[in-house]
Amino acid sequence: MEELVCYIVSKLVQHPDSVEVIETREEGRAHIQVYLAPEDMGQVIGRQGKIARAIRSIVKAVGTKEQVMVTVDFDERED
């Protein structure tokens, strides 16, 4: 799932090299943390959060297939 999120987000942003995705799993749960440049945050979130919701929906569908509960969070990269 980490690769999927990285691929989707890197295609949306102006600075794909700054995208960092970290996935942690434990006991049937997965948490995906996405770090990106502050100027790219609006492009990933989208209007009224529609793009972020779509990314979360895709990842949750994959998680359902793998029987894993998934959460996805987006954060600005701190340099």
Side-chain angles (χ1 to χ4, degrees):
M1 280 188 275
E2 183 176 352
E3 295 87 17
L4 174 64
V5 173
C6 187
Y7 177 79
I8 293 170
V9 172
S10 66
K11 297 299 180 185
L12 295 171
V13 298
Q14 292 180 358
H15 308 288
D17 296 335
S18 69
V19 174
E20 181 181 3
V21 179
I22 300 171
E23 179 179 353
T24 56
R25 286 188 183 222
E26 58 183 52
E27 298 179 12
R29 295 179 185 261
H31 179 75
I32 299 174
Q33 186 71 39
V34 182
Y35 295 100
L36 38 103
E39 55 270 11
D40 290 333
M41 187 63 88
Q43 292 170 320
V44 174
I45 301 300
R47 292 181 189 228
Q48 299 176 351
K50 288 183 180 179
I51 295 174
R53 244 190 326 266
I55 292 170
R56 288 183 178 115
S57 294
I58 292 168
V59 174
K60 284 182 182 181
V62 173
T64 301
K65 187 175 181 181
E66 296 178 6
Q67 297 181 347
V68 176
M69 289 185 61
V70 183
T71 57
V72 181
D73 290 324
F74 301 96
D75 252 340
E76 293 180 358
R77 176 180 276 306
E78 295 179 10
D79 290 328

